[in-house]
Amino acid sequence: MNKIILSVSKNESKNFLDLNEASKSKLVKKHNSKCAACAVDISDYHHFHEEGSKIIPLCPLCYYPLHIDKIVSKIPGQVILLPEMTQIELNATLRAMEYIKIKRSEFATAMKDDYAEVADAIDIIEVLLKERADLADTYYSEGISNINLLSQVLFALSDDDYDKRETGLYGLKFMHNMSNYTKEMKSWDIELSKYKPEVWKRMIKKVAESQKWLD
């Protein structure tokens, strides 16, 4: 999977609904315990998504944009207007930013004065991402940033219109509330810790510059 379009749990097949734990375990092993969309480790936390005739394992960040009706049991995030990035890129960025915040003291020590620049960049990006929710309401319709409202709209579409939703939802992405993934972040820690502190500075700065958020 290389693209995530905002979706709801609609028209799922009987085979998918009847998937048992043994079959789920086989699917995770088949994908080497990696998310089929972003390749992050899913050994401990995974969900399953039906794409055409295939059933694939996903990490929570890639799963919920495809099943926004399931996020209601958590602290809702927001729908934002962000055509510059794919959902997978946004997920990776949010994960990296959250990791840096969790490791704040370690990174501050390792990077010394340079860490302040990274922290400032993260703060600015977070503010600007939240402002993109207002842009979604402005350019689409009032309330479209509300995940529950969008979920109801998608369920109400005819099958034909639902299949064409990518055009109607152009540029809209799901911005996760990362407080939902405290346990998952611990699981991702090993993978994220492979990157040295100075690499994170370049990553965050690159994201900011590529989106022209920091002039």
Side-chain angles (χ1 to χ4, degrees):
M1 170 181 281
N2 54 20
K3 182 185 295 186
I4 293 177
I5 305 167
L6 296 184
S7 311
V8 291
S9 306
K10 187 175 182 178
N11 302 328
E12 294 175 334
S13 71
K14 187 175 185 302
N15 287 338
F16 177 76
L17 296 174
D18 291 342
L19 196 65
N20 58 38
E21 291 304 316
S23 297
K24 290 178 180 178
S25 295
K26 288 181 180 179
L27 283 169
V28 173
K29 290 181 180 179
K30 180 181 178 181
H31 285 80
N32 298 315
S33 298
K34 299 292 184 181
C35 173
C38 71
V40 73
D41 182 77
I42 55 171
S43 300
D44 298 323
Y45 300 97
H46 45 258
H47 300 273
F48 298 89
H49 170 69
E50 186 173 32
E51 186 176 56
S53 59
K54 295 182 179 180
I55 298 176
I56 57 176
L58 298 172
C59 74
L61 295 189
C62 292
Y63 171 82
Y64 282 113
L66 291 164
H67 301 265
I68 59 175
D69 53 304
K70 300 289 183 67
I71 199 70
V72 293
S73 61
K74 296 179 176 291
I75 304 172
Q78 288 183 300
V79 176
I80 65 174
L81 181 59
L82 189 68
E84 302 97 326
M85 300 179 75
T86 67
Q87 182 68 54
I88 294 174
E89 289 172 336
L90 174 59
N91 291 347
T93 301
L94 292 173
R95 187 185 285 117
M97 290 164 61
E98 186 68 13
Y99 179 75
I100 293 173
K101 287 191 289 184
I102 291 173
K103 298 290 184 178
R104 189 180 301 271
S105 60
E106 295 178 26
F107 278 96
T109 300
M111 300 175 68
K112 297 181 180 178
D113 295 339
D114 288 341
Y115 178 78
E117 184 179 346
V118 175
D120 288 344
I122 290 176
D123 290 341
I124 293 172
I125 291 172
E126 284 186 329
V127 170
L128 291 168
L129 284 175
K130 291 177 181 178
E131 289 178 353
R132 291 302 184 99
D134 293 333
L135 285 178
D137 288 333
T138 300
Y139 287 100
Y140 277 83
S141 63
E142 185 66 31
I144 199 68
S145 61
N146 185 304
I147 201 71
N148 296 325
L149 178 59
L150 180 58
S151 178
Q152 293 174 25
V153 170
L154 291 177
F155 269 117
L157 293 177
S158 66
D159 289 346
D160 186 53
D161 287 339
Y162 183 78
D163 290 340
K164 300 174 182 176
R165 67 191 181 285
E166 181 176 6
T167 300
L169 298 176
Y170 174 75
L172 294 180
K173 307 294 187 302
F174 178 57
M175 186 173 71
H176 297 269
N177 184 318
M178 293 302 291
S179 65
N180 289 322
Y181 309 109
T182 303
K183 294 180 179 179
E184 288 86 345
M185 285 301 301
K186 292 179 181 178
S187 175
W188 297 327
D189 181 81
I190 295 176
E191 185 161 348
L192 292 171
S193 64
K194 295 177 183 177
Y195 300 95
K196 296 180 180 179
E198 57 268 22
V199 174
W200 290 109
K201 177 185 176 182
R202 293 199 298 271
M203 288 177 64
I204 295 298
K205 190 172 183 180
K206 182 178 179 181
V207 170
E209 290 177 345
S210 67
Q211 307 311 317
K212 297 181 180 179
W213 288 341
L214 297 180
D215 295 326

